[in-house]
Amino acid sequence: MVTASHNPEEDNGVKLVDPLGEMLTSAWEEYATCLANADEQEIQSILTEICQKEVVNLHLHASVFIGRDTRPSSEKLSQSVIDGVCALGGQYHDYGLVTTPQLHYMVCCQNTQEHYGKATVEGYYQKLSKAFGELTKQACSSGDGQRYLKIDCANGIGALKLKEMEHYFPKNLLIHLYNDGTKEKLNHLCGADFVKVHQKPPLGLDLKPNERCCSFDGDADRIVYYYNDTAGHFHLLDGDKIATLISTFIKELLIKIGQSLKMAVVQTAYANGSSTRYLEETMKVPVHCTKTGVKHLHHKAQEFDIGVYFEANGHGTVLFTNAAEEKIRHMAKEEKDNQKREAAKRLENTIDLINQTVGDAISDMLVIEAILALKGLTVQQWDAIYADLPNRQLKVKVADRRVIDTTDAERRAVTPSGLQEKIDELVKTYRLSRAFVRPSGTEDVVRVYAEADTQENADSLAYEVSLAVYHLAGGIGEPPQPVF
């Protein structure tokens, strides 16, 4: 997939999809890095070495699915991929302009002999819209306003695909697209990443009080929701709120069908403490924490009958094991008890509406809209399920980020010595507080996260932890300043 996701329009890159339609496994990432850095004359020997290590059958036909986003540079780069595949005698299918999750979906369909669905864009639209229609059939009709949604498409591929898909939607889902790519640059002052980072609405979207809105990112694999209240305050419903809504809905249906399927929510250390507390204490749903990065969450979610995972940035999905899926589908067809059968049917349609290969803004949006309609919830009522703890994220420049080593899913620092003890000491001085530090994956900075009972305390704790990092982990430049 030729895309640079939520990055500026002039950037570009590639996302690689593994044969099950999921993200590339870590072992193959190393091969990709090795090939990307190889001199031209080394390429053949490196490819031969990979084939030997992975026992690749070179007599099988190679088939490569290719997609691209709307960046001006994507078409040329996509053509380079095609040239490379042809040079090595492979076959290819060029899907042209698609969202990243759509390409993941195509690969999964193809390699499950279309058991997962038809490997076409139309097949994707039909599967999702049919499941959405079936799921929302019994929704309480609380007027058109309830189902009216404004969507910021980040001036990206999401707009093109939603326009194509719109005529598949039932009449009661009214969507209005903004930042559709006809006027402005991709991701410029808009999109899920902008809204999440700046905690404000995107440019180009007129936000009236209590209107339900969402933003996709540049390649449509992330989504966040938001609204302005009547006092003009901005409210963000990020990946934590989405995971809570979806897992609560699934948990209620599991209780109705009387099946003891093992469900869990997977989060990272960045998940708001209130969401973790609500899930564990109120909903009695187990929560597991992994290192930052979607691949870690996806991998952990595969350990449960049903695994729900979302990063706070809005990237996530739900995974069902084959056994859980078969059990639910069997009950939806054969169950004698009417209530149990209806609940199983809802779960079955939910399974069909979710893109299990990867986070998918279009699919996640339809799941959220269906749940809100079925439960008769407004965006304000969804937001009020729990109140986020105030938090603050800061960065500290250091000479070498490798001096920080972490454990416990990046929640505790092992090195440098004395740093974790200092953080523990600082955390004790604030109510409902926690803090952690982790090295950036790309630059010599250490990321600091702190949360507490008030914004003032969260800011103060983040500042104090930043100072500790600066002094104990080789900070460079000006010392951190208090957050005002």
Side-chain angles (χ1 to χ4, degrees):
M1 177 71 195
V2 178
T3 181
S5 192
H6 59 280
N7 293 296
E9 186 173 274
E10 53 274 19
D11 291 357
N12 219 332
V14 67
K15 290 185 176 182
L16 300 171
V17 184
D18 92 344
L20 290 174
E22 293 166 2
M23 280 164 294
L24 198 68
T25 59
S26 301
W28 282 78
E29 275 180 17
E30 286 173 31
Y31 295 147
T33 304
C34 187
L35 277 166
N37 292 312
D39 289 330
E40 200 165 327
Q41 59 271 26
E42 296 176 304
I43 288 177
Q44 191 169 353
S45 60
I46 292 171
L47 285 171
T48 305
E49 200 181 317
I50 294 168
C51 292
Q52 285 167 350
K53 266 191 192 166
E54 295 293 334
V55 199
V56 175
N57 183 347
L58 296 175
H59 299 294
L60 289 176
H61 282 297
S63 175
V64 182
F65 282 8
I66 302 160
R68 67 178 193 271
D69 72 7
T70 54
R71 287 162 211 270
S73 60
S74 288
E75 192 168 358
K76 193 177 172 197
L77 289 169
S78 183
Q79 187 56 50
S80 295
V81 178
I82 291 168
D83 293 343
V85 172
C86 293
L88 286 167
Q91 298 166 336
Y92 71 90
H93 185 128
D94 181 13
Y95 281 95
L97 291 163
V98 285
T99 69
T100 294
Q102 284 177 333
L103 192 71
H104 281 261
Y105 175 89
M106 305 304 172
V107 173
C108 182
C109 291
Q110 178 68 19
N111 288 333
T112 55
Q113 284 69 54
E114 299 210 326
H115 173 73
Y116 193 64
K118 277 202 180 95
T120 63
V121 175
E122 289 72 30
Y124 170 93
Y125 296 152
Q126 284 161 355
K127 181 181 175 182
L128 266 62
S129 55
K130 179 171 182 258
F132 179 80
E134 289 292 323
L135 193 52
T136 54
K137 263 202 302 213
Q138 303 96 1
C140 44
S141 50
S142 39
D144 280 346
Q146 173 72 24
R147 310 288 290 284
Y148 181 75
L149 177 68
K150 288 184 168 180
I151 306 171
D152 156 34
C153 300
N155 290 309
I157 185 69
L160 288 183
K161 298 294 129 181
L162 278 175
K163 281 175 187 170
E164 288 176 8
M165 195 176 183
E166 215 171 338
H167 72 271
Y168 288 92
F169 291 150
K171 297 284 179 283
N172 56 1
L173 176 66
L174 299 170
I175 61 171
H176 197 126
L177 308 184
Y178 294 83
N179 297 321
D180 65 356
T182 53
K183 296 187 191 82
E184 296 291 336
K185 281 175 75 171
L186 175 70
N187 294 324
H188 181 60
L189 303 178
C190 62
D193 196 59
F194 173 85
V195 173
K196 169 77 178 149
V197 170
H198 296 278
Q199 302 274 319
K200 64 179 185 184
L203 197 71
L205 191 149
D206 173 32
L207 196 53
K208 294 186 176 73
N210 293 332
E211 276 188 331
R212 192 168 73 257
C213 305
C214 69
S215 283
F216 290 7
D217 72 333
D219 64 337
D221 65 356
R222 291 187 194 181
I223 184 170
V224 294
Y225 271 69
Y226 46 92
Y227 68 97
N228 268 350
D229 62 26
T230 45
H233 295 132
F234 179 77
H235 295 254
L236 177 73
L237 291 87
D238 62 6
D240 297 339
K241 282 262 158 94
I242 294 170
T244 306
L245 180 75
I246 294 174
S247 53
T248 301
F249 175 71
I250 292 173
K251 174 80 190 268
E252 287 166 354
L253 289 175
L254 288 176
I255 292 167
K256 280 181 185 166
I257 66 170
Q259 287 291 338
S260 56
L261 292 168
K262 199 173 167 197
M263 182 172 101
V265 173
V266 186
Q267 298 181 326
T268 71
Y270 286 105
N272 196 279
S274 289
S275 70
T276 313
R277 216 166 281 130
Y278 175 80
L279 285 164
E280 288 183 331
E281 294 170 15
T282 308
M283 289 311 300
K284 305 285 184 257
V285 172
V287 177
H288 295 262
C289 190
T290 71
K291 283 165 74 171
T292 307
V294 181
K295 60 187 176 192
H296 300 298
L297 291 125
H298 191 93
H299 189 69
K300 186 70 183 174
Q302 289 173 320
E303 294 177 18
F304 309 98
D305 295 322
I306 302 168
V308 181
Y309 75 83
F310 273 85
E311 284 196 299
N313 65 22
H315 188 292
T317 188
V318 186
L319 306 181
F320 296 81
T321 60
N322 288 338
E325 210 174 296
E326 281 166 22
K327 199 174 269 190
I328 290 162
R329 291 193 192 280
H330 179 77
M331 281 190 75
K333 204 178 274 166
E334 307 294 339
E335 176 59 50
K336 300 284 186 282
D337 181 302
N338 277 354
Q339 278 183 316
K340 282 185 178 179
R341 190 175 65 253
E342 282 311 307
K345 272 185 187 168
R346 278 192 181 179
L347 269 174
E348 181 178 41
N349 287 318
T350 304
I351 291 169
D352 289 334
L353 188 51
I354 287 164
N355 184 349
Q356 292 187 55
T357 62
V358 74
D360 181 339
I362 293 176
S363 158
D364 291 339
M365 175 197 85
L366 292 172
V367 172
I368 292 162
E369 290 302 307
I371 295 171
L372 294 178
L374 283 166
K375 292 170 84 71
L377 287 176
T378 64
V379 69
Q380 297 80 7
Q381 288 166 325
W382 168 23
D383 191 27
I385 289 174
Y386 66 83
D388 274 332
L389 279 168
N391 56 81
R392 175 67 62 195
Q393 292 186 44
L394 297 174
K395 337 192 248 201
V396 182
K397 280 190 177 174
V398 291
D400 182 1
R401 67 183 184 271
R402 290 170 300 185
V403 299
I404 301 261
D405 191 23
T406 62
T407 185
D408 187 24
E410 300 178 316
R411 290 177 290 190
R412 296 189 69 76
V414 181
T415 61
S417 71
L419 178 59
Q420 188 57 51
E421 289 75 10
K422 183 66 180 167
I423 294 171
D424 291 342
E425 197 182 297
L426 292 167
V427 164
K428 279 179 191 157
T429 60
Y430 297 95
R431 281 194 67 243
L432 298 175
S433 65
R434 69 184 181 102
F436 66 88
V437 300
R438 55 180 284 271
S440 160
T442 52
E443 50 186 329
D444 278 323
V445 300
V446 175
R447 302 191 186 279
V448 174
Y449 178 92
E451 63 185 31
D453 58 340
T454 67
Q455 190 62 56
E456 197 182 344
N457 284 346
D459 290 348
S460 182
L461 177 58
Y463 163 64
E464 289 169 358
V465 171
S466 297
L467 268 184
V469 170
Y470 183 84
H471 292 302
L472 296 170
I476 55 172
E478 287 292 306
Q481 298 301 307
V483 183
F484 293 113

